[in-house]
Amino acid sequence: MNAPIVKICGLMRPEDIRLCQQAGVNIIGLVTEYPLPVPWNISAERAAELMSLVQSPMQTCLVTGGTRAKILTLAESLRPDYLQLHYQETLADADYIARELENSPTRIIKTLPPTSEERQRQFGTAKLSECLHLLEESGVYAVLTDPRTAANASGSGFSADLETFCRIKQLCTKPVILAGGITPENVADIIAAAQPQMIDIMTGVESSPGIKDPQKVIALMSQCQPKTEQ
């Protein structure tokens, strides 16, 4: 079984950038100018400072939301490897932004809302299969499944819906990212059950909002390595 790509989100401090770099994290996420007052929110200027510390092969992801113009301005000025739309953007918004950035290094991650009401609003249909068909035809690079939404953005204690994730992964040819309640204690079981291509963790490796716990980060990464046969 292949090891998943690991994204750790909500970084706010230089020491946590260095921690993730040393631990072998693949992608770090920076919640930047998010439209709601969440604990992890930083300014574009702060994001630029933190991104300057990132060394290859670790990559960067900007997690933001708002108008198309605002998002494009952030992407064009900061040039992250990934841009995660995690507010109330429609698929049309995500596709437009992806097309505008197609000659840049930035790839678009679009959240697939967990509720039928929000899928209806963002995609024009509540049916998962129809949403995924529309995503397949869009310029979006990857799909994120996450119980955290704009409505509960500041909360914690969410759990990933593995059954729905596996159904989405089966129906979608694009990369599908699994988020929600992943911790060092449960990550091995989640990987074995769902075999995700990429996992996204935020509060599961924190001691408090925006403060990453070195022991938790190192323990999580050790659990994500492929196990060798004895």
Side-chain angles (χ1 to χ4, degrees):
M1 182 170 56
N2 294 329
I5 294 168
V6 178
K7 173 175 171 281
I8 291 184
C9 198
L11 275 80
M12 303 179 72
R13 309 186 305 162
E15 54 263 49
D16 290 337
I17 299 285
R18 291 189 287 270
L19 166 64
C20 288
Q21 193 92 53
Q22 293 165 2
V25 173
N26 303 105
I27 304 167
I28 54 106
L30 305 167
V31 181
T32 306
E33 302 199 1
Y34 193 72
L36 297 175
V38 296
W40 307 272
N41 212 1
I42 59 175
S43 67
E45 292 76 19
R46 183 59 170 168
E49 292 172 5
L50 294 174
M51 288 172 68
S52 72
L53 304 175
V54 173
Q55 300 175 18
S56 180
M58 193 165 75
Q59 295 182 304
T60 59
C61 178
L62 212 62
V63 181
T64 191
T67 66
R68 295 178 180 184
K70 171 204 164 180
I71 292 168
L72 283 170
T73 297
L74 283 173
E76 289 164 357
S77 63
L78 295 173
R79 297 177 67 82
D81 296 292
Y82 300 92
L83 181 66
Q84 181 175 312
L85 302 178
H86 207 127
Y87 181 52
Q88 297 176 342
E89 295 75 30
T90 65
L91 180 60
D93 292 331
D95 187 54
Y96 176 86
I97 292 165
R99 305 295 180 189
E100 288 292 304
L101 296 174
E102 62 184 354
N103 294 320
S104 80
T106 303
R107 293 180 284 188
I108 305 302
I109 298 170
K110 175 72 178 84
T111 304
L112 183 59
T115 66
S116 57
E117 294 81 8
E118 193 60 19
R119 288 197 297 271
Q120 181 70 47
R121 193 193 69 77
Q122 292 186 20
F123 288 78
T125 176
K127 293 184 178 179
L128 274 177
S129 60
E130 293 178 4
C131 290
L132 291 167
H133 175 72
L134 293 170
L135 279 163
E136 290 284 335
E137 296 182 334
S138 75
V140 169
Y141 169 73
V143 180
L144 174 67
T145 66
D146 189 355
R148 188 186 300 275
T149 67
N152 59 22
S154 296
S156 61
F158 305 109
S159 296
D161 182 342
L162 297 187
E163 183 177 346
T164 299
F165 170 82
C166 290
R167 181 183 171 203
I168 291 169
K169 190 178 70 164
Q170 187 176 34
L171 294 171
C172 190
T173 63
K174 295 178 184 284
V176 182
I177 306 165
L178 177 63
I182 301 173
T183 69
E185 292 75 25
N186 65 19
V187 66
D189 289 339
I190 287 174
I191 292 170
Q195 299 184 29
Q197 297 158 286
M198 185 188 299
I199 55 175
D200 193 348
I201 303 99
M202 186 160 63
T203 59
V205 290
E206 288 186 333
S207 56
S208 61
I211 308 298
K212 304 309 179 193
D213 184 308
Q215 291 184 334
K216 291 181 180 180
V217 171
I218 292 167
L220 179 115
M221 293 306 297
S222 71
Q223 291 296 316
C224 291
Q225 301 309 309
K227 301 298 185 290
T228 57
E229 296 293 335
Q230 299 296 320

